């Protein structure tokens, strides 16, 4: 048979399976579905298991009656009743076993289908939020519950924040959209890294969303989303019928949660790749500066100092004066390169958190320049920032302090971390000469614009306040909600 003929037959079969609606769309034909056919076959088999042995035994009883006519009719009826009852019992036993096996096969098929669909959606989608919404919809259908949510851990604060909600009564889920570590059912699941299932929400004191119980939800199950050993979020489902959340459903929910957790962890890692690449490049530059330029400048400084000492014995005034000037230039350049190297290395250090790394950096500046710098942390939340935020922030602080050292003629400076209006507020203040921001120009103007661009890169704002004779205040505000609550999106 030719390929064209085969294709024509497939098309004919496809047309036979559907009929066109009035609007041109295809609708299912009146042919019975495979599930309906299977149900009819089960009913026929059930009746066959009842009537086949009953008919056989009835025929046998009729033969016996004909042979033993002296027996009473009541005896024969009783025997026939026992036979039919036995057939019914046998049929019930057989079909109970068949239905149990079918239910198990259905659960396994649902498990494999859900796992496959979840893996496909998470691997193919480029938008994590959209993929999570689709996956959650599939989870609700697979388990047969009415509503669910996915909360992700916000890197800046460490809180669980509602990211995706699907199903009925979304406003009831938004009654509490943020959970601290160990707060409520989701917070406890994240803390213990173990599922929690509640079959009677009305009597559960740890459950914080009373609006869900008021609209009729009785059961609630939460599982951790883990990427390796790290909990990155929590997935929860709610059901009106507590029987919907049995052991099999919770196992399926937990396995799907592991898949989702890996996807979230991978997505966050991919988001950090540009920042990590930049850190590696800065580390390479720091090594090259140290191995080449810094050593050269150091050697030049020592050589100039040695020549000046020799010329002091036979003093040509002009040559000694010029050499002293060159020595000062080399010393300044060497100090600036060392400061840049230390700044680059501080940012790429993976052993230190932000505050210890910054403390080490400020100590080095004090050692090199004599500038007294106080570090004040008024709210720890302002220091718990994502990696990309930390990198840009420490570069801003470095540039601000470099301006203080070079231009302000200050004796003291202060770096402060605080939280104000839902944002981290970081300031660098000095007691120096100050300047008119409207008259800034040259290298200083370029540095101020660079600080502004760095703050805006991570969604923050930059401001500078200064006046001649009044010192300078550099202020950076960075958002604490690095993961926005996008549950209001469709």
């Amino acid at each position: 048979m030719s390929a064209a003929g085969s294709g024509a037959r497939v098309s004919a079969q496809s047309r036979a399976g559907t009929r066109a609606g009035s609007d041109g769309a295809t609708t299912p034909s009146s042919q019975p579905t495979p599930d309906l056919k299977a149900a009819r076959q089960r009913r026929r088999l059930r009746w066959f298991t009842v009537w086949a042995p009953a008919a056989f035994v009835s025929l046998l009883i009729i033969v016996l009656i004909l042979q033993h006519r002296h027996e009473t009719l009541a005896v024969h009826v009783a025997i026939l009743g026992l036979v039919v009852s036995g057939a019914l019992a046998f049929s019930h036993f057989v079909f109970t076993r068949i239905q149990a096996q079918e239910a198990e096969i259905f659960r396994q098929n649902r498990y494999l289908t859900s796992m496959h669909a979840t893996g496909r959606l998470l691997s193919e989608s480029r938008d994590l939020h959209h993929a999570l919404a689709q996956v959650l919809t599939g989870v609700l259908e697979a388990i047969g519950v009415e509503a669910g949510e996915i909360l992700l851990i916000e890197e800046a604060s460490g809180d669980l924040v509602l990211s995706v909600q699907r199903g009925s009564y979304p406003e009831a889920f938004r009654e509490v959209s943020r959970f601290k570590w160990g707060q409520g059912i989701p917070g406890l699941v994240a803390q213990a890294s173990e599922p929690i299932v509640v079959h009677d929400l009305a009597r559960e004191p740890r459950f914080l969303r009373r609006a869900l119980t008021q609209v009729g939800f009785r059961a609630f199950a939460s599982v951790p989303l883990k990427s390796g050993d790290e909990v990155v979020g929590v997935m929860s489902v709610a059901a009106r019928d507590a029987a919907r959340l049995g052991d099999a459903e919770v196992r399926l929910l937990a396995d799907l949660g592991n898949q989702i957790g890996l996807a979230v962890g991978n997505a966050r890692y991919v988001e950090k790749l540009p920042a990590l690449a930049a850190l590696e490049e800065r580390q390479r530059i720091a090594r090259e500066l140290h191995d080449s330029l810094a050593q050269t400048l150091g050697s030049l400084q020592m050589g100039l100092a040695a020549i000046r000492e020799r010329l002091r014995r036979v003093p040509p005034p002009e040559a000694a004066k010029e050499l002293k000037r060159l020595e000062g230039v080399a010393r300044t350049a060497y100090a600036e390169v060392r400061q840049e190297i230390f700044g680059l290395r501080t940012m790429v250090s993976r052993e230190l958190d932000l505050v210890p790394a910054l403390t080490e950096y400020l100590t080095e500046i004090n050692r090199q320049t004599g500038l007294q710098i106080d570090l004040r942390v008024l709210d720890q939340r302002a220091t718990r920032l994502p990696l990309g935020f930390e990198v840009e922030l420490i570069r801003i602080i470095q540039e601000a302090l470099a301006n203080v050292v070079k231009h302000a003629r200050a004796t003291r400076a202060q770096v402060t971390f605080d939280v104000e209006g839902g944002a981290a507020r970081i300031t660098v203040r000095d007691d120096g000469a100050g300047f008119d921001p409207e008259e800034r120009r040259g290298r200083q103007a370029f540095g101020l614009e660079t600080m502004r661009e760095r703050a805006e890169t991570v969604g923050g704002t930059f401001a500078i306040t200064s006046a001649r004779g009044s010192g300078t205040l550099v202020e950076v505000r960075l958002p604490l909600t690095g993961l926005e609550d996008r549950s209001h999106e469709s």
Side-chain angles (χ1 to χ4, degrees):
M1 181 182 293
S2 66
S6 175
R9 185 154 64 188
V10 170
S11 298
Q13 291 173 348
S14 177
R15 286 194 296 271
T18 59
R19 57 183 176 85
S22 59
D23 59 354
T26 59
T27 57
S29 69
S30 59
Q31 297 294 327
T33 64
D35 289 342
L36 183 58
K37 289 181 179 179
R40 290 177 178 174
Q41 290 174 354
R42 285 196 298 271
R43 284 197 296 270
R44 290 179 187 142
L45 183 60
R46 178 185 290 272
W47 285 112
F48 179 78
T49 58
V50 173
W51 292 114
F56 174 76
V57 176
S58 298
L59 181 61
L60 182 61
I61 290 175
I62 291 173
V63 173
L64 292 174
I65 290 174
L66 293 176
Q67 292 179 353
H68 303 83
R69 296 183 179 180
H70 61 278
E71 299 286 348
T72 63
L73 180 61
V75 173
H76 297 305
V77 171
I79 295 173
L80 182 60
L82 289 175
V83 170
V84 173
S85 300
L88 288 172
F90 173 74
S91 173
H92 177 74
F93 171 77
V94 170
F95 273 87
T96 299
R97 295 295 301 273
I98 291 175
Q99 288 174 350
Q101 292 177 355
E102 286 181 342
E104 181 60 27
I105 292 172
F106 174 76
R107 280 195 295 268
Q108 293 179 1
N109 182 63
R110 180 183 63 181
Y111 176 92
L112 294 174
T113 301
S114 299
M115 295 291 288
H116 172 73
T118 298
R120 180 177 56 82
L121 284 171
L122 294 173
S123 62
E124 293 179 357
S125 178
R126 295 183 179 180
D127 184 346
L128 178 63
H129 181 262
H130 179 67
L132 292 179
Q134 288 186 300
V135 166
L136 183 57
T137 300
V139 169
L140 300 183
E141 293 175 355
I143 297 179
V145 295
E146 293 83 5
E149 66 180 355
I150 292 177
L151 301 102
L152 298 180
I153 291 182
E154 185 181 73
E155 291 186 327
S157 64
D159 295 346
L160 282 166
V161 178
L162 181 61
S163 177
V164 175
Q165 193 280 326
R166 285 295 179 268
S168 55
Y169 297 104
E171 66 281 357
F173 281 87
R174 296 192 189 109
E175 180 187 10
V176 182
S177 60
R178 178 185 291 268
F179 293 87
K180 297 290 185 184
W181 202 257
Q183 178 188 27
I185 299 296
L188 290 169
V189 168
Q191 186 179 56
S193 189
E194 293 291 341
I196 292 180
V197 183
V198 179
H199 288 105
D200 189 355
L201 290 178
R203 298 183 179 182
E204 176 54 64
R206 299 172 297 177
F207 190 71
L208 303 182
R209 291 165 166 160
R210 291 304 163 192
L212 284 175
T213 60
Q214 292 170 4
V215 295
F217 286 105
R218 294 184 56 197
F220 194 81
S222 292
V223 298
L225 308 181
K226 293 192 288 187
S227 178
D229 294 330
E230 179 187 6
V231 176
V232 296
V234 171
M235 177 168 61
S236 304
V237 296
R240 294 176 179 274
D241 182 3
R244 291 284 187 180
L245 297 179
D247 292 341
E249 286 73 21
V250 175
R251 282 196 301 271
L252 173 59
L253 193 65
D255 289 340
L256 291 173
N258 288 334
Q259 269 193 309
I260 297 171
L262 286 174
V264 172
N266 290 338
R268 288 184 170 178
Y269 177 75
V270 170
E271 289 177 355
K272 292 178 180 179
L273 283 179
L276 293 174
L279 293 179
E280 291 178 359
E281 180 64 13
R282 286 171 176 149
Q283 193 172 33
R284 183 189 66 80
I285 294 172
R287 286 196 302 268
E288 291 182 356
L289 286 174
H290 179 270
D291 295 340
S292 58
L293 183 58
Q295 292 183 0
T296 301
L297 288 173
S299 176
L300 175 61
Q301 181 183 350
M302 289 188 293
L304 289 172
I307 293 174
R308 183 166 58 85
E309 288 297 323
R310 291 179 183 177
L311 289 176
R312 185 181 299 173
R313 300 168 187 169
V314 183
E318 294 301 325
K321 183 178 180 181
E322 182 64 17
L323 284 173
K324 186 174 183 179
R325 187 187 68 81
L326 290 175
E327 183 184 358
V329 171
R331 186 183 301 108
T332 301
Y334 180 65
E336 289 181 355
V337 170
R338 277 183 55 84
Q339 184 174 336
E340 289 295 326
I341 291 172
F342 189 84
L344 289 168
R345 286 178 171 170
T346 298
M347 285 183 297
V348 300
S349 173
R350 305 305 298 155
E351 289 79 17
L352 296 178
D353 292 333
L354 175 60
V355 173
L358 189 58
T359 301
E360 185 179 338
Y361 176 60
L362 299 182
T363 301
E364 177 70 10
I365 292 180
N366 173 259
R367 189 186 68 80
Q368 292 182 15
T369 67
L371 179 66
Q372 296 295 319
I373 308 173
D374 298 325
L375 176 61
R376 301 180 62 195
V377 179
L378 303 181
D379 193 321
Q380 290 291 340
R381 290 178 297 167
T383 66
R384 293 195 292 264
L385 301 173
L387 175 61
F389 285 43
E390 287 188 6
V391 170
E392 300 301 338
L393 177 59
I394 201 168
R395 290 297 288 176
I396 292 170
I397 294 174
Q398 181 185 11
E399 180 66 28
L401 291 175
N403 287 337
V404 173
V405 171
K406 294 176 183 177
H407 307 294
R409 301 190 299 276
T411 59
R412 298 191 69 87
Q414 185 178 84
V415 179
T416 305
F417 286 78
D418 199 0
V419 172
E420 185 178 284
R425 180 175 180 266
I426 300 94
T427 61
V428 179
R429 183 189 300 272
D430 68 73
D431 63 355
F435 67 99
D436 184 352
E438 299 299 326
E439 296 179 2
R440 61 189 181 187
R441 57 184 179 272
R443 172 68 180 84
Q444 188 177 12
F446 177 76
L448 296 178
E449 191 59 33
T450 299
M451 286 190 283
R452 184 184 306 280
E453 291 174 357
R454 288 187 180 278
E456 293 174 352
T457 296
V458 291
T461 61
F462 172 85
I464 187 165
T465 304
S466 185
R468 296 189 183 281
S470 301
T472 301
L473 173 66
V474 172
E475 179 181 9
V476 177
R477 289 178 178 267
L478 300 176
L480 287 178
T481 53
L483 291 174
E484 296 182 356
D485 178 10
R486 297 183 289 180
S487 61
H488 295 271
E489 296 182 10
S490 59

